Amino acid sequence: MGRFTGKAVIVTGAAQGIGEAYARALAADGAAVVVADLNAEAGEAVAKDIVTHGGTAAFTQVDVSDPASAEDMAQFAARHFGGVDYLVNNAAIYGGMKLDFLFTVDWDYYKKFMSVNMDGALACARACVPHMQRRGGGAIVNQSSTAAWVYSGFYGLAKVGVNGLTQQLAHELGGMGIRVNAIAPGPIDTEATRTVTPQQMVAGIVHGMALKRMGHPEDLVGLCKFLLSAEASWITGQIFNVDGGQVFRS
């Protein structure tokens, strides 16, 4: 028996990186995990490997920017695992992200970017909430970033939106027994970070942190599991930095 035995969780963007770490850790703690991602090949591989190692998982393809696709994802979870207890909104455009200014970024790219990185969390929440209600409540963890607290262009703007969405949904859904919180990672050593952020820039960020190292996806897992669990039953509407002391907020 694990901490989440009998619970069904959807993790978006779970085919690699942080989302994959979340999916594997939740499955290892007893949850039935829907590995949801746009990348079918990688997502299928993650779900298959979880099952091979004794966990319960199934893959479904999702485009979080499309409300109909998000609805299909929630229905998939209901068919395979009986419902939805938890949602981890991790999917984002990050690996391969364009680096540009807010006032010059291509408008169509900007709209697509925001539809995934900010609106996608809302689309998935809207799809999953009715299923959580039928289970008597649930919990949502949104993936923010310390980019919300420092200059980070349109990526930072999207994460500011995720923080606001977290706080607003916490109030709207609290009466249904659904809690909503967010994790704001600092610089995490993933393939996406290595391809997007110039290494000289990363070195400068790490130098200014209290703990002089990059984070790893596993550094985020403990807080994610805690926020989903009954131990956090009186915590909602909060954004938690997990960043090695990169950002100090009062």
Side-chain angles (χ1 to χ4, degrees):
M1 296 289 288
R3 191 181 195 180
F4 299 109
T5 297
K7 301 295 186 180
V9 56
I10 295 172
V11 182
T12 67
Q16 60 186 343
I18 295 169
E20 179 182 351
Y22 287 154
R24 290 183 181 277
L26 289 163
D29 224 342
V33 179
V34 173
V35 175
D37 204 287
L38 195 60
N39 185 332
E41 183 179 358
E44 289 275 14
V46 170
K48 182 178 179 180
D49 194 59
I50 288 172
V51 172
T52 298
H53 286 85
T56 302
F59 170 77
T60 189
Q61 190 171 42
V62 65
D63 176 355
V64 299
S65 69
D66 179 358
S69 184
E71 290 282 353
D72 289 344
M73 175 188 71
Q75 292 292 343
F76 177 91
R79 288 195 307 273
H80 281 72
F81 301 135
V84 180
D85 297 289
Y86 309 127
L87 168 66
V88 180
N89 276 317
N90 171 75
I93 295 171
Y94 180 55
M97 178 179 66
K98 294 181 180 180
L99 298 180
D100 204 340
F101 296 108
L102 274 168
F103 71 95
T104 55
V105 63
D106 177 79
W107 190 250
D108 288 338
Y109 180 81
Y110 169 81
K111 289 192 293 182
K112 177 60 178 179
F113 185 91
M114 298 301 279
S115 74
V116 173
N117 288 39
M118 184 176 71
D119 297 337
L122 178 57
C124 291
R126 287 168 61 124
C128 291
V129 162
H131 297 277
M132 291 181 180
Q133 283 184 281
R134 285 192 281 273
R135 305 273 271 197
I140 298 171
V141 170
N142 294 325
Q143 193 81 330
S144 179
S145 170
T146 54
W149 315 117
V150 299
Y151 167 67
S152 299
F154 51 87
Y155 181 75
L157 178 60
K159 295 305 184 180
V160 170
V162 168
N163 291 350
L165 175 67
T166 298
Q167 294 167 333
Q168 298 304 314
L169 283 180
H171 280 272
E172 291 190 10
L173 303 180
M176 304 175 191
I178 299 171
R179 300 179 297 102
V180 189
N181 293 288
I183 296 173
I188 303 297
D189 186 17
T190 62
E191 182 63 29
T193 297
R194 290 190 289 271
T195 59
V196 168
T197 310
Q199 292 307 297
Q200 185 177 0
M201 183 183 298
V202 171
I205 293 170
V206 171
H207 180 74
M209 291 161 54
L211 300 178
K212 311 298 184 183
R213 71 167 176 87
M214 292 277 283
H216 303 285
E218 292 72 22
D219 291 320
L220 308 172
V221 163
L223 181 57
C224 182
K225 292 200 294 184
F226 170 71
L227 291 174
L228 294 176
S229 76
E231 297 166 54
S233 62
W234 209 46
I235 300 175
T236 196
Q238 305 303 310
I239 294 91
F240 295 90
N241 281 24
V242 184
D243 66 352
Q246 178 192 9
V247 176
F248 289 88
R249 295 188 294 132
S250 59

